[in-house]
Amino acid sequence: VQMAKAASLCAKAGFDEINLNVGCPSPKVTCNHFGAWLMKEPEVVKDMAQACRASCTHGHIVPVTVKHRLGVDDHDSWEELTAFV
C-alpha cells in the first residue's frame, strides 16, 4: 500500500517510470526484508508491482519495472530465476 502511494505521487509529479529495486544485497537492507531478500518472496513483489502499476494511471500510463539479481543466497538456479520473473 505504501509503495503504491509513493508510486502514485511519482506519477503525478511527472516521473517517466517507477523502478522497484529488489536487487540490493546489502545486509543493512536485506536484514529488514527489503532489497534482494524480496526475491525469496515473488508473490510479495508481484503484488507490489501490480499495486504500483494500478496507481500510476494519472492521464498517462507510467511503466513499473522490477530490477532484480540473477539469484539470492542459495536460490540461484535457472528454474528459480525464471519462476521469479
Side-chain angles (χ1 to χ4, degrees):
V1 173
Q2 291 178 343
M3 286 297 296
K5 287 180 183 177
S8 177
L9 290 172
C10 291
K12 287 178 185 176
F15 282 64
D16 293 329
E17 72 176 289
I18 307 298
N19 180 266
L20 305 177
N21 184 345
V22 299
C24 181
S26 168
K28 289 181 180 181
V29 175
T30 58
C31 74
N32 292 306
H33 297 179
F34 297 112
W37 180 89
L38 285 168
M39 287 192 67
K40 297 178 184 179
E41 299 291 335
E43 288 297 316
V44 171
V45 176
K46 180 185 86 170
D47 292 346
M48 188 170 28
Q50 287 178 339
C52 289
R53 185 174 176 203
S55 73
C56 290
T57 55
H58 302 285
H60 67 288
I61 295 174
V62 177
V64 176
T65 61
V66 178
K67 178 182 175 181
H68 60 84
R69 301 183 78 74
L70 295 176
V72 60
D73 296 334
D74 58 346
H75 302 277
D76 59 359
S77 70
W78 176 252
E79 292 77 18
E80 288 167 308
L81 173 63
T82 57
F84 178 81
V85 173

